[in-house]
Amino acid sequence: MSGSNDLLRREAAFWDRQEEAIASIYGRPHDWRFVPELAERIMRPKYRFIERALARVIRDGTTHVEIGCGNGWFCHALARRGVRSWGIDISPKKIDVANEQAEALGVADRCTFIAGDALDFEPPAPVDLITSLGSLHHFPALATVFPRLVDGLLRPDGAMLFSEPNHEGMPRWLEGPAFRLARSKRFGRYFDHELYAEMTRPPEGESDNVRQESPAGEEFFGEEQDLDAIFSRYEVVHRRKFHYFVGHSTNVGHVFMKPRWIRTLTRWTLPAAVLLDDLACRIPPIGRRAEEGVWVLRNRPA
């Protein structure tokens, strides 16, 4: 990412702390993304879309840079398909984990991980593919730095794949009833208020909460960047939106619900909810308010 030295320092420290606390976060998840059984089902349409898009791009020997690689899982996955990957992340601890897992998975010879600012990284040669799954929105002045980032990493006719937040907050038709139920005397006892408080307030003596947005995310929270405009100088090969209501409804019906029968009912109905949600996101007025977008771009030679 790019920004002031202080913001870079705080961003790195945040993700280091999150990595240190990752076991406890998974042990008491505050979001469906940290419940593997739920995440696998909810993300299935998005990852099928990504797999189809990448199948047209990658081959044995493809070179790749992942911006904001975290623990390196996406680099590891591509390495198993013969891709040579470089992963960059601002958090040294996440880079340590990425290296450890690359060794454990037997792909260390195809993966190189670097702790630092993506704008400072220079690959040995321009790469075939750039990806980022949820990191670009942490860049200050993204519209300004993005062309520099692409020009410094990607070959002239290379490809890009980005998954980024698209819209903040629940749909209004779900948000109002959910909060009224959580505050009501009759149904409020089913809601895990303790977990909600842990999620929304920083621990005593700390300035931020590893269950919430990072310092860079907080810095620009609510400022929805027009990614379509930022990406307009490149050829848009594919674009899809995901997670209009299913992620929010799963948090309401599973993550923050105490009774087992409600959580079980949420799991049983999840496949139908995912299918309906995926179809709804293809309708443009609904898709504009979906949580996430995926863009597949092609660089245009100068």
mmCIF file with all atom_site columns, all heavy atoms in Angstrom, residues 7 15 25 38 87 89 103 149 163-164 174 180 192 219 240 245-246 257 262 264 297 299:
data_model
loop_
_atom_site.group_PDB
_atom_site.id
_atom_site.type_symbol
_atom_site.label_atom_id
_atom_site.label_alt_id
_atom_site.label_comp_id
_atom_site.label_asym_id
_atom_site.label_entity_id
_atom_site.label_seq_id
_atom_site.pdbx_PDB_ins_code
_atom_site.Cartn_x
_atom_site.Cartn_y
_atom_site.Cartn_z
_atom_site.occupancy
_atom_site.B_iso_or_equiv
_atom_site.pdbx_formal_charge
_atom_site.auth_seq_id
_atom_site.auth_comp_id
_atom_site.auth_asym_id
_atom_site.auth_atom_id
_atom_site.pdbx_PDB_model_num
ATOM 1   N N   . LEU A 1 7   ? 0.876   5.719   8.935   1.00 0.00 ? 7   LEU A N   1
ATOM 2   C CA  . LEU A 1 7   ? -0.229  4.833   8.555   1.00 0.00 ? 7   LEU A CA  1
ATOM 3   C C   . LEU A 1 7   ? 0.299   3.460   8.157   1.00 0.00 ? 7   LEU A C   1
ATOM 4   O O   . LEU A 1 7   ? -0.280  2.434   8.525   1.00 0.00 ? 7   LEU A O   1
ATOM 5   C CB  . LEU A 1 7   ? -1.033  5.456   7.416   1.00 0.00 ? 7   LEU A CB  1
ATOM 6   C CG  . LEU A 1 7   ? -2.269  4.661   6.966   1.00 0.00 ? 7   LEU A CG  1
ATOM 7   C CD1 . LEU A 1 7   ? -3.245  4.469   8.120   1.00 0.00 ? 7   LEU A CD1 1
ATOM 8   C CD2 . LEU A 1 7   ? -2.960  5.368   5.799   1.00 0.00 ? 7   LEU A CD2 1
ATOM 9   N N   . TRP A 1 15  ? -2.165  -5.871  11.284  1.00 0.00 ? 15  TRP A N   1
ATOM 10  C CA  . TRP A 1 15  ? -2.238  -7.203  10.690  1.00 0.00 ? 15  TRP A CA  1
ATOM 11  C C   . TRP A 1 15  ? -1.322  -8.186  11.415  1.00 0.00 ? 15  TRP A C   1
ATOM 12  O O   . TRP A 1 15  ? -1.627  -9.395  11.468  1.00 0.00 ? 15  TRP A O   1
ATOM 13  C CB  . TRP A 1 15  ? -1.911  -7.132  9.198   1.00 0.00 ? 15  TRP A CB  1
ATOM 14  C CG  . TRP A 1 15  ? -2.976  -6.392  8.434   1.00 0.00 ? 15  TRP A CG  1
ATOM 15  C CD1 . TRP A 1 15  ? -2.856  -5.184  7.822   1.00 0.00 ? 15  TRP A CD1 1
ATOM 16  C CD2 . TRP A 1 15  ? -4.328  -6.803  8.235   1.00 0.00 ? 15  TRP A CD2 1
ATOM 17  N NE1 . TRP A 1 15  ? -4.048  -4.809  7.246   1.00 0.00 ? 15  TRP A NE1 1
ATOM 18  C CE2 . TRP A 1 15  ? -4.968  -5.782  7.480   1.00 0.00 ? 15  TRP A CE2 1
ATOM 19  C CE3 . TRP A 1 15  ? -5.063  -7.926  8.609   1.00 0.00 ? 15  TRP A CE3 1
ATOM 20  C CZ2 . TRP A 1 15  ? -6.305  -5.868  7.091   1.00 0.00 ? 15  TRP A CZ2 1
ATOM 21  C CZ3 . TRP A 1 15  ? -6.402  -8.008  8.225   1.00 0.00 ? 15  TRP A CZ3 1
ATOM 22  C CH2 . TRP A 1 15  ? -7.001  -6.988  7.481   1.00 0.00 ? 15  TRP A CH2 1
ATOM 23  N N   . ILE A 1 25  ? -9.789  -15.768 17.019  1.00 0.00 ? 25  ILE A N   1
ATOM 24  C CA  . ILE A 1 25  ? -10.834 -15.247 16.132  1.00 0.00 ? 25  ILE A CA  1
ATOM 25  C C   . ILE A 1 25  ? -11.607 -16.399 15.504  1.00 0.00 ? 25  ILE A C   1
ATOM 26  O O   . ILE A 1 25  ? -12.845 -16.389 15.447  1.00 0.00 ? 25  ILE A O   1
ATOM 27  C CB  . ILE A 1 25  ? -10.223 -14.336 15.051  1.00 0.00 ? 25  ILE A CB  1
ATOM 28  C CG1 . ILE A 1 25  ? -9.684  -13.052 15.692  1.00 0.00 ? 25  ILE A CG1 1
ATOM 29  C CG2 . ILE A 1 25  ? -11.256 -14.001 13.978  1.00 0.00 ? 25  ILE A CG2 1
ATOM 30  C CD1 . ILE A 1 25  ? -8.924  -12.158 14.732  1.00 0.00 ? 25  ILE A CD1 1
ATOM 31  N N   . LEU A 1 38  ? -19.442 -22.348 6.710   1.00 0.00 ? 38  LEU A N   1
ATOM 32  C CA  . LEU A 1 38  ? -20.301 -21.336 6.100   1.00 0.00 ? 38  LEU A CA  1
ATOM 33  C C   . LEU A 1 38  ? -19.584 -20.628 4.958   1.00 0.00 ? 38  LEU A C   1
ATOM 34  O O   . LEU A 1 38  ? -20.165 -20.398 3.891   1.00 0.00 ? 38  LEU A O   1
ATOM 35  C CB  . LEU A 1 38  ? -20.732 -20.310 7.152   1.00 0.00 ? 38  LEU A CB  1
ATOM 36  C CG  . LEU A 1 38  ? -21.417 -20.847 8.403   1.00 0.00 ? 38  LEU A CG  1
ATOM 37  C CD1 . LEU A 1 38  ? -21.747 -19.695 9.345   1.00 0.00 ? 38  LEU A CD1 1
ATOM 38  C CD2 . LEU A 1 38  ? -22.685 -21.619 8.042   1.00 0.00 ? 38  LEU A CD2 1
ATOM 39  N N   . GLY A 1 87  ? 4.301   -12.944 -3.445  1.00 0.00 ? 87  GLY A N   1
ATOM 40  C CA  . GLY A 1 87  ? 3.264   -12.388 -2.583  1.00 0.00 ? 87  GLY A CA  1
ATOM 41  C C   . GLY A 1 87  ? 3.829   -11.261 -1.742  1.00 0.00 ? 87  GLY A C   1
ATOM 42  O O   . GLY A 1 87  ? 4.901   -11.407 -1.141  1.00 0.00 ? 87  GLY A O   1
ATOM 43  N N   . ASP A 1 89  ? 2.962   -8.375  1.322   1.00 0.00 ? 89  ASP A N   1
ATOM 44  C CA  . ASP A 1 89  ? 2.047   -7.968  2.381   1.00 0.00 ? 89  ASP A CA  1
ATOM 45  C C   . ASP A 1 89  ? 2.768   -7.044  3.352   1.00 0.00 ? 89  ASP A C   1
ATOM 46  O O   . ASP A 1 89  ? 3.976   -7.184  3.568   1.00 0.00 ? 89  ASP A O   1
ATOM 47  C CB  . ASP A 1 89  ? 1.487   -9.177  3.134   1.00 0.00 ? 89  ASP A CB  1
ATOM 48  C CG  . ASP A 1 89  ? 0.212   -8.843  3.888   1.00 0.00 ? 89  ASP A CG  1
ATOM 49  O OD1 . ASP A 1 89  ? 0.290   -8.305  5.014   1.00 0.00 ? 89  ASP A OD1 1
ATOM 50  O OD2 . ASP A 1 89  ? -0.880  -9.111  3.345   1.00 0.00 ? 89  ASP A OD2 1
ATOM 51  N N   . GLU A 1 103 ? 6.326   -24.040 2.683   1.00 0.00 ? 103 GLU A N   1
ATOM 52  C CA  . GLU A 1 103 ? 7.208   -25.182 2.943   1.00 0.00 ? 103 GLU A CA  1
ATOM 53  C C   . GLU A 1 103 ? 6.386   -26.434 3.235   1.00 0.00 ? 103 GLU A C   1
ATOM 54  O O   . GLU A 1 103 ? 6.660   -27.513 2.694   1.00 0.00 ? 103 GLU A O   1
ATOM 55  C CB  . GLU A 1 103 ? 8.126   -24.875 4.125   1.00 0.00 ? 103 GLU A CB  1
ATOM 56  C CG  . GLU A 1 103 ? 9.192   -23.824 3.846   1.00 0.00 ? 103 GLU A CG  1
ATOM 57  C CD  . GLU A 1 103 ? 10.341  -24.358 2.998   1.00 0.00 ? 103 GLU A CD  1
ATOM 58  O OE1 . GLU A 1 103 ? 10.380  -25.593 2.750   1.00 0.00 ? 103 GLU A OE1 1
ATOM 59  O OE2 . GLU A 1 103 ? 11.183  -23.550 2.565   1.00 0.00 ? 103 GLU A OE2 1
ATOM 60  N N   . LEU A 1 149 ? 1.233   1.225   -9.980  1.00 0.00 ? 149 LEU A N   1
ATOM 61  C CA  . LEU A 1 149 ? 1.369   -0.153  -9.511  1.00 0.00 ? 149 LEU A CA  1
ATOM 62  C C   . LEU A 1 149 ? 1.352   -1.115  -10.693 1.00 0.00 ? 149 LEU A C   1
ATOM 63  O O   . LEU A 1 149 ? 2.212   -2.005  -10.805 1.00 0.00 ? 149 LEU A O   1
ATOM 64  C CB  . LEU A 1 149 ? 0.232   -0.470  -8.543  1.00 0.00 ? 149 LEU A CB  1
ATOM 65  C CG  . LEU A 1 149 ? 0.303   -1.739  -7.716  1.00 0.00 ? 149 LEU A CG  1
ATOM 66  C CD1 . LEU A 1 149 ? 1.481   -1.690  -6.764  1.00 0.00 ? 149 LEU A CD1 1
ATOM 67  C CD2 . LEU A 1 149 ? -0.989  -1.942  -6.948  1.00 0.00 ? 149 LEU A CD2 1
ATOM 68  N N   . SER A 1 163 ? -10.712 -8.734  -6.295  1.00 0.00 ? 163 SER A N   1
ATOM 69  C CA  . SER A 1 163 ? -11.950 -8.868  -5.531  1.00 0.00 ? 163 SER A CA  1
ATOM 70  C C   . SER A 1 163 ? -11.921 -7.813  -4.443  1.00 0.00 ? 163 SER A C   1
ATOM 71  O O   . SER A 1 163 ? -11.003 -7.799  -3.606  1.00 0.00 ? 163 SER A O   1
ATOM 72  C CB  . SER A 1 163 ? -12.047 -10.266 -4.914  1.00 0.00 ? 163 SER A CB  1
ATOM 73  O OG  . SER A 1 163 ? -13.186 -10.373 -4.082  1.00 0.00 ? 163 SER A OG  1
ATOM 74  N N   . GLU A 1 164 ? -12.902 -6.912  -4.467  1.00 0.00 ? 164 GLU A N   1
ATOM 75  C CA  . GLU A 1 164 ? -12.891 -5.775  -3.552  1.00 0.00 ? 164 GLU A CA  1
ATOM 76  C C   . GLU A 1 164 ? -14.285 -5.509  -2.994  1.00 0.00 ? 164 GLU A C   1
ATOM 77  O O   . GLU A 1 164 ? -15.294 -5.858  -3.620  1.00 0.00 ? 164 GLU A O   1
ATOM 78  C CB  . GLU A 1 164 ? -12.404 -4.523  -4.285  1.00 0.00 ? 164 GLU A CB  1
ATOM 79  C CG  . GLU A 1 164 ? -10.923 -4.532  -4.628  1.00 0.00 ? 164 GLU A CG  1
ATOM 80  C CD  . GLU A 1 164 ? -10.035 -4.500  -3.395  1.00 0.00 ? 164 GLU A CD  1
ATOM 81  O OE1 . GLU A 1 164 ? -10.355 -3.775  -2.436  1.00 0.00 ? 164 GLU A OE1 1
ATOM 82  O OE2 . GLU A 1 164 ? -9.015  -5.204  -3.398  1.00 0.00 ? 164 GLU A OE2 1
ATOM 83  N N   . LEU A 1 174 ? -33.307 -5.781  5.601   1.00 0.00 ? 174 LEU A N   1
ATOM 84  C CA  . LEU A 1 174 ? -32.791 -6.736  6.571   1.00 0.00 ? 174 LEU A CA  1
ATOM 85  C C   . LEU A 1 174 ? -32.261 -6.042  7.812   1.00 0.00 ? 174 LEU A C   1
ATOM 86  O O   . LEU A 1 174 ? -32.444 -6.530  8.940   1.00 0.00 ? 174 LEU A O   1
ATOM 87  C CB  . LEU A 1 174 ? -31.674 -7.573  5.925   1.00 0.00 ? 174 LEU A CB  1
ATOM 88  C CG  . LEU A 1 174 ? -30.975 -8.599  6.813   1.00 0.00 ? 174 LEU A CG  1
ATOM 89  C CD1 . LEU A 1 174 ? -31.954 -9.636  7.341   1.00 0.00 ? 174 LEU A CD1 1
ATOM 90  C CD2 . LEU A 1 174 ? -29.843 -9.284  6.050   1.00 0.00 ? 174 LEU A CD2 1
ATOM 91  N N   . ARG A 1 180 ? -33.972 -4.517  15.368  1.00 0.00 ? 180 ARG A N   1
ATOM 92  C CA  . ARG A 1 180 ? -35.134 -4.480  16.263  1.00 0.00 ? 180 ARG A CA  1
ATOM 93  C C   . ARG A 1 180 ? -35.268 -5.780  17.037  1.00 0.00 ? 180 ARG A C   1
ATOM 94  O O   . ARG A 1 180 ? -35.561 -5.767  18.245  1.00 0.00 ? 180 ARG A O   1
ATOM 95  C CB  . ARG A 1 180 ? -36.408 -4.203  15.459  1.00 0.00 ? 180 ARG A CB  1
ATOM 96  C CG  . ARG A 1 180 ? -36.562 -2.742  15.049  1.00 0.00 ? 180 ARG A CG  1
ATOM 97  C CD  . ARG A 1 180 ? -37.974 -2.436  14.586  1.00 0.00 ? 180 ARG A CD  1
ATOM 98  N NE  . ARG A 1 180 ? -38.309 -3.155  13.354  1.00 0.00 ? 180 ARG A NE  1
ATOM 99  C CZ  . ARG A 1 180 ? -38.070 -2.685  12.131  1.00 0.00 ? 180 ARG A CZ  1
ATOM 100 N NH1 . ARG A 1 180 ? -37.463 -1.514  11.979  1.00 0.00 ? 180 ARG A NH1 1
ATOM 101 N NH2 . ARG A 1 180 ? -38.422 -3.376  11.075  1.00 0.00 ? 180 ARG A NH2 1
ATOM 102 N N   . ASP A 1 192 ? -26.297 -12.802 20.738  1.00 0.00 ? 192 ASP A N   1
ATOM 103 C CA  . ASP A 1 192 ? -25.048 -12.811 21.505  1.00 0.00 ? 192 ASP A CA  1
ATOM 104 C C   . ASP A 1 192 ? -24.513 -11.380 21.618  1.00 0.00 ? 192 ASP A C   1
ATOM 105 O O   . ASP A 1 192 ? -23.654 -10.945 20.859  1.00 0.00 ? 192 ASP A O   1
ATOM 106 C CB  . ASP A 1 192 ? -24.017 -13.707 20.820  1.00 0.00 ? 192 ASP A CB  1
ATOM 107 C CG  . ASP A 1 192 ? -22.839 -14.048 21.725  1.00 0.00 ? 192 ASP A CG  1
ATOM 108 O OD1 . ASP A 1 192 ? -22.558 -13.242 22.640  1.00 0.00 ? 192 ASP A OD1 1
ATOM 109 O OD2 . ASP A 1 192 ? -22.208 -15.099 21.514  1.00 0.00 ? 192 ASP A OD2 1
ATOM 110 N N   . GLU A 1 219 ? -9.511  4.709   7.945   1.00 0.00 ? 219 GLU A N   1
ATOM 111 C CA  . GLU A 1 219 ? -9.163  6.038   7.446   1.00 0.00 ? 219 GLU A CA  1
ATOM 112 C C   . GLU A 1 219 ? -10.097 6.461   6.315   1.00 0.00 ? 219 GLU A C   1
ATOM 113 O O   . GLU A 1 219 ? -10.454 7.624   6.180   1.00 0.00 ? 219 GLU A O   1
ATOM 114 C CB  . GLU A 1 219 ? -7.718  6.021   6.942   1.00 0.00 ? 219 GLU A CB  1
ATOM 115 C CG  . GLU A 1 219 ? -7.199  7.358   6.491   1.00 0.00 ? 219 GLU A CG  1
ATOM 116 C CD  . GLU A 1 219 ? -6.368  8.067   7.544   1.00 0.00 ? 219 GLU A CD  1
ATOM 117 O OE1 . GLU A 1 219 ? -6.253  7.553   8.678   1.00 0.00 ? 219 GLU A OE1 1
ATOM 118 O OE2 . GLU A 1 219 ? -5.855  9.139   7.231   1.00 0.00 ? 219 GLU A OE2 1
ATOM 119 N N   . ARG A 1 240 ? -18.371 -9.134  -11.980 1.00 0.00 ? 240 ARG A N   1
ATOM 120 C CA  . ARG A 1 240 ? -19.534 -9.712  -11.311 1.00 0.00 ? 240 ARG A CA  1
ATOM 121 C C   . ARG A 1 240 ? -19.596 -9.215  -9.874  1.00 0.00 ? 240 ARG A C   1
ATOM 122 O O   . ARG A 1 240 ? -18.574 -8.871  -9.276  1.00 0.00 ? 240 ARG A O   1
ATOM 123 C CB  . ARG A 1 240 ? -19.453 -11.241 -11.291 1.00 0.00 ? 240 ARG A CB  1
ATOM 124 C CG  . ARG A 1 240 ? -19.874 -11.943 -12.565 1.00 0.00 ? 240 ARG A CG  1
ATOM 125 C CD  . ARG A 1 240 ? -21.377 -12.185 -12.634 1.00 0.00 ? 240 ARG A CD  1
ATOM 126 N NE  . ARG A 1 240 ? -21.819 -13.025 -11.540 1.00 0.00 ? 240 ARG A NE  1
ATOM 127 C CZ  . ARG A 1 240 ? -21.753 -14.367 -11.539 1.00 0.00 ? 240 ARG A CZ  1
ATOM 128 N NH1 . ARG A 1 240 ? -21.229 -15.022 -12.576 1.00 0.00 ? 240 ARG A NH1 1
ATOM 129 N NH2 . ARG A 1 240 ? -22.203 -15.069 -10.511 1.00 0.00 ? 240 ARG A NH2 1
ATOM 130 N N   . PHE A 1 245 ? -27.289 -10.271 0.223   1.00 0.00 ? 245 PHE A N   1
ATOM 131 C CA  . PHE A 1 245 ? -27.894 -10.420 1.550   1.00 0.00 ? 245 PHE A CA  1
ATOM 132 C C   . PHE A 1 245 ? -27.401 -11.642 2.312   1.00 0.00 ? 245 PHE A C   1
ATOM 133 O O   . PHE A 1 245 ? -27.488 -11.681 3.542   1.00 0.00 ? 245 PHE A O   1
ATOM 134 C CB  . PHE A 1 245 ? -29.429 -10.506 1.440   1.00 0.00 ? 245 PHE A CB  1
ATOM 135 C CG  . PHE A 1 245 ? -29.940 -11.779 0.812   1.00 0.00 ? 245 PHE A CG  1
ATOM 136 C CD1 . PHE A 1 245 ? -30.115 -12.932 1.562   1.00 0.00 ? 245 PHE A CD1 1
ATOM 137 C CD2 . PHE A 1 245 ? -30.253 -11.826 -0.531  1.00 0.00 ? 245 PHE A CD2 1
ATOM 138 C CE1 . PHE A 1 245 ? -30.581 -14.111 0.979   1.00 0.00 ? 245 PHE A CE1 1
ATOM 139 C CE2 . PHE A 1 245 ? -30.724 -12.999 -1.122  1.00 0.00 ? 245 PHE A CE2 1
ATOM 140 C CZ  . PHE A 1 245 ? -30.878 -14.138 -0.369  1.00 0.00 ? 245 PHE A CZ  1
ATOM 141 N N   . VAL A 1 246 ? -26.845 -12.655 1.623   1.00 0.00 ? 246 VAL A N   1
ATOM 142 C CA  . VAL A 1 246 ? -26.620 -13.938 2.282   1.00 0.00 ? 246 VAL A CA  1
ATOM 143 C C   . VAL A 1 246 ? -25.567 -13.848 3.385   1.00 0.00 ? 246 VAL A C   1
ATOM 144 O O   . VAL A 1 246 ? -25.695 -14.515 4.424   1.00 0.00 ? 246 VAL A O   1
ATOM 145 C CB  . VAL A 1 246 ? -26.266 -15.022 1.248   1.00 0.00 ? 246 VAL A CB  1
ATOM 146 C CG1 . VAL A 1 246 ? -24.860 -14.820 0.675   1.00 0.00 ? 246 VAL A CG1 1
ATOM 147 C CG2 . VAL A 1 246 ? -26.387 -16.413 1.852   1.00 0.00 ? 246 VAL A CG2 1
ATOM 148 N N   . MET A 1 257 ? -26.347 -15.783 16.869  1.00 0.00 ? 257 MET A N   1
ATOM 149 C CA  . MET A 1 257 ? -27.475 -16.467 17.484  1.00 0.00 ? 257 MET A CA  1
ATOM 150 C C   . MET A 1 257 ? -26.990 -17.514 18.483  1.00 0.00 ? 257 MET A C   1
ATOM 151 O O   . MET A 1 257 ? -26.122 -18.331 18.161  1.00 0.00 ? 257 MET A O   1
ATOM 152 C CB  . MET A 1 257 ? -28.333 -17.144 16.417  1.00 0.00 ? 257 MET A CB  1
ATOM 153 C CG  . MET A 1 257 ? -29.292 -16.221 15.703  1.00 0.00 ? 257 MET A CG  1
ATOM 154 S SD  . MET A 1 257 ? -30.577 -15.558 16.798  1.00 0.00 ? 257 MET A SD  1
ATOM 155 C CE  . MET A 1 257 ? -30.204 -13.801 16.703  1.00 0.00 ? 257 MET A CE  1
ATOM 156 N N   . ILE A 1 262 ? -31.642 -22.446 15.865  1.00 0.00 ? 262 ILE A N   1
ATOM 157 C CA  . ILE A 1 262 ? -31.648 -21.353 14.883  1.00 0.00 ? 262 ILE A CA  1
ATOM 158 C C   . ILE A 1 262 ? -30.417 -21.463 13.983  1.00 0.00 ? 262 ILE A C   1
ATOM 159 O O   . ILE A 1 262 ? -30.494 -21.290 12.766  1.00 0.00 ? 262 ILE A O   1
ATOM 160 C CB  . ILE A 1 262 ? -31.689 -19.979 15.584  1.00 0.00 ? 262 ILE A CB  1
ATOM 161 C CG1 . ILE A 1 262 ? -32.970 -19.834 16.411  1.00 0.00 ? 262 ILE A CG1 1
ATOM 162 C CG2 . ILE A 1 262 ? -31.595 -18.855 14.555  1.00 0.00 ? 262 ILE A CG2 1
ATOM 163 C CD1 . ILE A 1 262 ? -33.078 -18.507 17.154  1.00 0.00 ? 262 ILE A CD1 1
ATOM 164 N N   . THR A 1 264 ? -28.782 -24.191 13.293  1.00 0.00 ? 264 THR A N   1
ATOM 165 C CA  . THR A 1 264 ? -28.978 -25.359 12.430  1.00 0.00 ? 264 THR A CA  1
ATOM 166 C C   . THR A 1 264 ? -29.908 -25.030 11.273  1.00 0.00 ? 264 THR A C   1
ATOM 167 O O   . THR A 1 264 ? -29.645 -25.414 10.119  1.00 0.00 ? 264 THR A O   1
ATOM 168 C CB  . THR A 1 264 ? -29.557 -26.527 13.253  1.00 0.00 ? 264 THR A CB  1
ATOM 169 O OG1 . THR A 1 264 ? -28.639 -26.873 14.296  1.00 0.00 ? 264 THR A OG1 1
ATOM 170 C CG2 . THR A 1 264 ? -29.787 -27.743 12.367  1.00 0.00 ? 264 THR A CG2 1
ATOM 171 N N   . LEU A 1 297 ? -9.396  -7.897  -15.574 1.00 0.00 ? 297 LEU A N   1
ATOM 172 C CA  . LEU A 1 297 ? -8.956  -6.834  -16.488 1.00 0.00 ? 297 LEU A CA  1
ATOM 173 C C   . LEU A 1 297 ? -7.818  -7.338  -17.367 1.00 0.00 ? 297 LEU A C   1
ATOM 174 O O   . LEU A 1 297 ? -7.081  -8.246  -16.980 1.00 0.00 ? 297 LEU A O   1
ATOM 175 C CB  . LEU A 1 297 ? -8.479  -5.606  -15.702 1.00 0.00 ? 297 LEU A CB  1
ATOM 176 C CG  . LEU A 1 297 ? -9.371  -5.071  -14.588 1.00 0.00 ? 297 LEU A CG  1
ATOM 177 C CD1 . LEU A 1 297 ? -8.656  -3.940  -13.857 1.00 0.00 ? 297 LEU A CD1 1
ATOM 178 C CD2 . LEU A 1 297 ? -10.700 -4.594  -15.128 1.00 0.00 ? 297 LEU A CD2 1
ATOM 179 N N   . ASN A 1 299 ? -4.513  -5.648  -19.444 1.00 0.00 ? 299 ASN A N   1
ATOM 180 C CA  . ASN A 1 299 ? -3.730  -4.444  -19.695 1.00 0.00 ? 299 ASN A CA  1
ATOM 181 C C   . ASN A 1 299 ? -3.786  -4.092  -21.184 1.00 0.00 ? 299 ASN A C   1
ATOM 182 O O   . ASN A 1 299 ? -3.850  -4.977  -22.046 1.00 0.00 ? 299 ASN A O   1
ATOM 183 C CB  . ASN A 1 299 ? -2.279  -4.670  -19.266 1.00 0.00 ? 299 ASN A CB  1
ATOM 184 C CG  . ASN A 1 299 ? -1.553  -3.381  -18.971 1.00 0.00 ? 299 ASN A CG  1
ATOM 185 O OD1 . ASN A 1 299 ? -2.141  -2.299  -19.001 1.00 0.00 ? 299 ASN A OD1 1
ATOM 186 N ND2 . ASN A 1 299 ? -0.274  -3.480  -18.663 1.00 0.00 ? 299 ASN A ND2 1
#
